[in-house]
Amino acid sequence: MADLFDSSPAAPVEPAHRPLADRIRPRHLSEVIGQRHVLAEEAPLGAMLAAGSLSSIILWGPPGVGKTTIARLLADATERSFVQISAIFTGVPELRKVFEAAKLRATQGRGTLLFVDEIHRFNKAQQDSFLPHMEDGTILLVGATTENPSFELNAAVLSRSQVIVLERLNLTDLELLAQRAEKALERALPLKGPAREALLEMADGDGRALLNLIEQVAAWKVKEPLTTEQLSQRLMRRAAKYDKSGDEHYNLISALHKSIRGSDPDAALYWFARMLEGGEDPRYLARRFVRMAVEDIGLADPQAQTQALHAWEIYERIGSPEGELALAQAVIYLALAPKSNAGYVAYKAARAEARRSGSEPPPKHILNAPTRLMEEQGYGAGYAYDHDAEDGFSGQNYFPETMKRPLFYSPVERGFERELKKRVDWFAKLRDKRGG
């Protein structure tokens, strides 16, 4: 009787029509296209296999980069039974059967590599159920996920696994994959050079998507190789991968924020456009622009906050797509504005000092004395009214009497803060002069 859930067939079966992806599936890890940073001899997986000490791993990467293929080949390389399940379709009863079958295999001297696709979709209890079987060697777990394991997987599972990061396929990788497909099809794709490049770009780094596109193109009966325009008429461009609540969302907003902080308007516009094309809510971007203006520009250009708020207001009034132009102009303004986080740093430092100093009272000379008792306690005594002082500045101390005067705000020599720095330095000199 065949092992339960064991995908290793007892004898090869040749279906009537095998998908192209299955026909050109690598038979050895050295045949895998791309991912040399993890498969090479000195790379993490290569080193583990060479040492004969393969541990449980989590394969993290975008769709179509070889996670399932690598898992199958790891099972072959370590002479383990390959068992594949999907977290989408597997519940607790099915997991129990998988573990029981693995235990039976272990008694027969054969290990089990359990490949769990979309492992991040298992809840905490389901993920915890793997732990005892990982620890006693019943299974070697290979999980696959498109989501950041740091956020989606239990700490206990992560501590017993090594996270292997897989990368989207580049154009060179996709070209090699296309050549392998043409060899299996025994004919070249009916495409001119630019059209071929366009086809590779349509795959957007996804090898599985490319093979599906190639199967469509190879089935066409055309007399002459197609141009890029003819190809685009027959094929819809694949939508860019973008999950408004997943890794792509956070990766792209990080790229946009850092491009603005780095004063690169072209890069900032590119990531802004990428997010809009992916379906991001422009209101979310408008809020982030206000935050960037406050956090990264601050008082170096006080108008940056106004520009960001006005762009947000314009979008709210006229909506898409016209309102997005106002947001694009805000992107350009913020990117080119002088940068300073001095106000942000000062705020955080003041909050930290407030937590440290606890309940230290203000000095009595700056407290109001609305009652006679408070006057008798010295409230307000010795207060110097700044408008009566020379230059409108008394230089008095406003910190708690037991606290050494700290320095929170240090303006930079950029933009409007250059003027603020002159004022800070001027007041500091007067304060020293007047013994404040």
Side-chain angles (χ1 to χ4, degrees):
M1 181 177 177
D3 287 334
L4 187 65
F5 292 97
D6 193 340
S7 63
S8 303
V13 178
E14 190 70 26
H17 174 71
R18 292 174 61 202
L20 181 59
D22 189 47
R23 277 185 277 167
I24 66 171
R25 189 183 299 279
R27 297 185 179 181
H28 190 273
L29 285 168
S30 62
E31 299 174 2
V32 174
I33 292 176
Q35 316 308 334
R36 303 318 301 166
H37 65 291
V38 298
L39 294 174
E41 187 175 342
E42 300 300 323
L45 285 179
M48 280 193 279
L49 289 173
S53 60
L54 185 64
S55 63
S56 291
I57 59 175
I58 303 297
L59 299 175
W60 173 28
V65 297
K67 294 187 286 291
T68 304
T69 295
I70 290 173
R72 285 181 179 275
L73 296 176
L74 287 175
D76 292 343
T78 57
E79 298 183 341
R80 287 179 168 88
S81 293
F82 179 79
V83 179
Q84 179 176 354
I85 61 174
S86 171
I88 300 174
F89 304 110
T90 306
V92 173
E94 291 81 10
L95 281 176
R96 289 200 189 99
K97 293 177 182 179
V98 169
F99 298 143
E100 289 170 4
K103 287 180 181 178
L104 178 59
R105 260 183 239 110
T107 62
Q108 299 169 348
R110 185 168 178 81
T112 299
L113 186 149
L114 177 59
F115 176 65
V116 184
D117 199 15
E118 304 285 352
I119 190 172
H120 62 276
R121 294 184 181 271
F122 274 139
N123 60 34
K124 184 179 185 303
Q126 290 170 318
Q127 291 183 34
D128 285 344
S129 69
F130 291 99
L131 300 178
H133 309 292
M134 294 168 65
E135 291 175 346
D136 65 14
T138 301
I139 63 169
L140 179 73
L141 176 67
V142 177
T145 178
T146 56
E147 301 295 328
N148 191 327
S150 302
F151 304 135
E152 303 295 339
L153 296 185
N154 292 355
V157 172
L158 286 176
S159 69
R160 293 163 174 79
S161 311
Q162 182 169 345
V163 176
I164 302 294
V165 181
L166 303 184
E167 299 174 349
R168 69 194 299 273
L169 301 182
N170 59 36
L171 290 177
T172 301
D173 297 331
L174 293 173
E175 173 59 29
L176 291 173
L177 188 59
Q179 292 175 14
R180 185 175 292 178
E182 288 174 319
K183 186 175 181 181
L185 294 168
E186 298 182 341
R187 61 185 181 277
L189 293 174
L191 300 174
K192 292 187 176 180
R196 185 185 184 92
E197 292 177 8
L199 183 73
L200 301 183
E201 290 175 353
M202 284 182 183
D204 197 22
D206 185 329
R208 188 185 305 113
L210 176 63
L211 294 177
N212 290 337
L213 292 171
I214 288 174
E215 282 197 291
Q216 293 182 56
V217 173
W220 296 339
K221 293 179 173 58
V222 296
K223 295 180 180 180
E224 297 290 336
L226 301 177
T227 65
T228 303
E229 183 178 354
Q230 291 170 325
L231 177 69
S232 62
Q233 289 173 347
R234 291 169 175 253
L235 284 179
M236 292 293 292
R237 178 169 288 276
R238 188 164 175 264
K241 293 187 287 289
Y242 188 75
D243 179 356
K244 287 189 283 185
S245 62
D247 278 351
E248 284 301 306
H249 165 84
Y250 294 107
N251 290 343
L252 265 60
I253 192 59
S254 176
L256 172 56
H257 194 149
K258 289 179 174 64
S259 297
I260 287 178
R261 181 183 293 155
S263 301
D264 190 333
D266 295 321
L269 282 172
Y270 171 74
W271 295 116
F272 171 66
R274 279 279 300 272
M275 296 189 79
L276 289 180
E277 290 295 325
E280 185 60 72
D281 183 357
R283 292 177 179 84
Y284 167 78
L285 294 169
R287 291 195 299 273
R288 289 294 299 236
F289 294 155
V290 175
R291 172 189 166 181
M292 295 173 198
V294 173
E295 180 180 328
D296 291 299
I297 298 170
L299 294 174
D301 184 353
Q303 284 298 313
Q305 298 173 33
T306 303
Q307 290 285 342
L309 284 170
H310 280 177
W312 188 355
E313 183 181 9
I314 291 171
Y315 180 82
E316 293 291 356
R317 286 178 178 268
I318 65 177
S320 295
E322 295 85 354
E324 291 163 4
L325 176 58
L327 297 179
Q329 291 175 353
V331 168
I332 296 170
Y333 189 97
L334 297 180
L336 294 177
K339 305 299 190 296
S340 172
N341 70 341
Y344 184 45
V345 170
Y347 163 73
K348 292 195 296 183
R351 288 294 298 265
E353 181 61 29
R355 288 191 295 270
R356 188 201 66 78
S357 59
S359 303
E360 289 285 346
K364 288 184 178 181
H365 64 267
I366 63 171
L367 299 180
N368 292 330
T371 69
R372 178 172 295 183
L373 176 61
M374 296 173 77
E375 287 182 6
E376 294 172 353
Q377 292 295 318
Y379 282 40
Y383 173 62
Y385 188 52
D386 286 85
H387 293 291
D388 293 339
E390 183 182 358
D391 302 315
F393 180 72
S394 67
Q396 279 196 314
N397 175 52
Y398 301 104
F399 283 97
E401 293 175 353
T402 59
M403 181 186 296
K404 182 180 179 181
R405 180 181 181 83
L407 176 63
F408 298 138
Y409 181 52
S410 296
V412 299
E413 289 277 3
R414 290 188 294 276
F416 183 67
E417 275 202 333
R418 184 180 291 111
E419 296 301 316
L420 296 182
K421 188 175 190 308
K422 293 178 183 177
R423 301 180 195 181
V424 168
D425 293 343
W426 184 67
F427 285 127
K429 290 179 181 178
L430 288 180
R431 189 176 292 110
D432 290 341
K433 180 180 178 181
R434 295 172 188 177

